[in-house]
Amino acid sequence: MELLTNLAHGFAVAVTPMNILLCLIGALVGTLIGVLPGIGPIATIAMLLPITYKLDPTGALIMLAGIYYGAQYGGSTTAILVNLPGESSSVVTAIDGHQMAKKGRAGTALAIAAIGSFIAGTFGTILVAALGKPLTSVAQAFGPADYFSLMVLGLVCAIVLASGSVLKAIAMIFLGLLLSTIGTDLETGEQRMTFGLLPLADGIEFVTLAMGMFGFAEILRNLENTESRDLVQQKVTNLMPTKADMKEAAPAIARGTVLGSILGILPGGGAVLAAFGAYTLEKKIAKNPQEFGKGAIRGVAGPESANNAAAQTSFIPLLTLGIPPNAVMAVMVGAMTIHGIVPGPQIMTKQPDLFWGLIASMWIGNLMLVIINLPLVGLWVRLLRVPYRMLFPAILLFCAIGVYSINNQPFDVVLTAFFGLTGYMLIKLGFEPAPMLVAFVLGKIMEEKLRQAMLLSRGDPWTFLDFSKHPISTVLIVVSVVLLILAVTPALRKKRDEVFVED
Amino acid sequence: MIAKPPGGRARSIQDIVAGAVLIGIAALALYLVNHLPAAGRVGFASGTAPRLFAYGLAALGAWIMISGFLKEGPGVDSSLAPSVAGLFVFFIVMWLVDQGLNSLAKSTGVVLFDKISALVGFIISGGIVAVANGFPGKDRFGMQGPLAILGSVLFFAFTVRDLGLAVTGVPMIVISYFASREGSITEALIFGAAMTAFCCVLFPGILGQPIPLWPTF
């Protein structure tokens, strides 16, 4: 019953005209960047951070959250109609979605994607609300040692679930941790790795790193492969799926929702992995798997439900434990920090408006998105005719203005360009920058907690494994070690790689 | 893209280069924290965490590099090495020019140097893009895209404070347009003017961002 009271409170916060408007803006921007290939939620949220300065924190986070789940809706439109993933989380939607569109069933595919997303979004939102309270009370019992070990577990999960080479994922984690130590030391005030540059004394501004690695580096990479857009030309009709379609898709939606919700909570998961996982699952349990790749409706329903469920549930660790499970949530940490909010269990007790308002707005946003995406699909398709050569200069200008405005510091813009170049190089060398971003955000807190724990234990590094004093920490470390060993075990690695195989 | 050297030994150039890059970054970090204490009273000091992470990174780099010698894998784009090296040089030159002019401005008290640095930034970035663009066998290093993108962003960084958004926006977009192989200069100018006008209204105007709008001479 308390849950209902809290949710009612949340809705009261979320339905103020201002917050409704911000939610709508977030959903619209999310759909926009979701539809447009070549720009993702990470770069967009980073780009819009400075704009939210003047808003109150609740409104700002409502808008930024809308961008993330809005992108999950928009991404499917491009995937189905153009055979090009608008978002990396809709890569697998393109496989069967576009085949459906070629057979004249574009409307059905779009509708199933939107309905599946909405059902998954609703379920995800309820899960966030339900798990909020219990997880928060667990988190409140955590000491510095437990927190440190929890973050270690988070990073290990990010390694296990990352695509590509495990070694390279671990390397990116270490690079992120190393970058996070740049700046003034918290305890002694000494300058660390700043080259004597004043703007680096406060450490690397998070937005410059995120924007460089995900905004600029993406543009550099996109410019290399000139894409061919295979737009389905005929008018999209029949937005209502038939009863048979619904019956066919319903179990896939249910499975995608559950799988996506779980993968969203896990560190290193998020929308992309959820979609891949759901597609693999659908294909594996299908009665006639040969239909997949030729326009199977379940190949659209499963992944599209999963990615949106994950987009909602990835807020759970952020809001309750203060730990961003993926790169988008890492950017949300940046957003909260700008507004003076420390992510963690205290949000729910100290800022109930923000906590419940954000959750309620997610459901409202999902409802808006169904309307934004289905009847207005023609409008979004027309946007796809904007050539990339006009898109990227605009993104560059927005990014530059956004980065400059954080501190009115031209140096930050230079640094962003530097990280763009570095990110481009890392991608070319087969590295995945997303775990680095998570490690960068966690690095600062981790070092702080580590040093606190060491201080409390008078310098005993085994305190994290001392079951009598820190049982939670001990369990978390043991789980991390087991996971890490499993991750490098050939048998499990083979399974993991299979999930990421597209066809 | 599978690199198979003569002699039939399997190796992955990509992993070898990747490992070397990681070791390089770790070495730089270790050099930079050399003056900080490695350990303190309770085990941790300001230099402990950076050292731990750098050692980890170096070890991983070595591991990746060694595995690159042992297994077959992708190579690297032939354009990667020259473009990354060239761009890093470009970066350092830009930074030195700015630093040098700034310190000159401080010692002589002539504020005009700030403006000169903006101008030099403009000429260098514009010049490099033009040269890269006009080379015989156009864009032979595959550098035109990265150069134009980074050149335009750096141009913005070096000029926006003195020239203002209204003046900086158009050339920035024109420079970035060189990154694409399509479009015309006319289109770039028109699009640049429109985008700049839009941003001038949106950011300092509606959103009240404290970004300079006009030149401050």
Side-chain angles (χ1 to χ4, degrees), chain A residues 241-407:
Chain A
T242 62
K243 235 183 187 159
D245 287 333
M246 276 312 286
K247 217 180 144 194
E248 171 83 18
I253 292 176
R255 284 188 291 264
T257 303
V258 173
L259 185 71
S261 302
I262 297 167
L263 286 175
I265 302 174
L266 287 185
V272 183
L273 184 74
F276 273 99
Y279 191 76
T280 315
L281 178 72
E282 287 307 319
K283 211 169 155 182
K284 208 159 249 175
I285 62 169
K287 277 191 209 115
N288 23 354
Q290 65 274 14
E291 264 179 34
F292 281 80
K294 291 181 194 135
I297 197 164
R298 291 185 174 189
V300 176
E304 277 306 314
S305 312
N307 66 21
N308 201 42
Q312 321 290 330
T313 56
S314 54
F315 278 88
I316 293 175
L318 177 72
L319 292 173
T320 57
L321 306 170
I323 292 180
N326 58 42
V328 182
M329 290 302 116
V331 189
M332 292 300 282
V333 173
M336 291 177 153
T337 316
I338 281 183
H339 286 278
I341 300 164
V342 184
Q346 67 284 354
I347 293 183
M348 191 192 237
T349 43
K350 284 189 190 150
Q351 277 131 327
D353 279 11
L354 188 145
F355 188 90
W356 297 107
L358 183 60
I359 292 174
S361 84
M362 284 182 186
W363 190 77
I364 298 174
N366 270 291
L367 194 62
M368 286 181 186
L369 277 161
V370 175
I371 300 165
I372 291 172
N373 275 271
L374 281 186
L376 297 181
V377 69
L379 186 80
W380 299 112
V381 172
R382 221 169 293 158
L383 260 177
L384 282 167
R385 295 182 203 279
V386 176
Y388 192 64
R389 67 166 189 276
M390 292 189 149
L391 203 57
F392 79 84
I395 298 172
L396 280 180
L397 186 58
F398 284 141
C399 282
I401 294 173
V403 172
Y404 177 85
S405 321
I406 303 166
N407 298 320

Side-chain angles (χ1 to χ4, degrees), chain B residues 124-147:
Chain B
I124 292 182
S125 42
I128 289 182
V129 171
V131 169
N133 196 31
F135 257 130
K138 242 178 162 188
D139 193 20
R140 56 177 168 182
F141 295 120
M143 283 171 70
Q144 191 184 326
L147 267 181

Side-chain angles (χ1 to χ4, degrees), chain A residues 443-454:
Chain A
K444 274 182 213 239
I445 326 168
M446 266 177 103
E447 197 195 349
E448 194 190 321
K449 299 286 178 199
L450 177 62
R451 285 165 82 165
Q452 280 172 4
M454 292 290 269

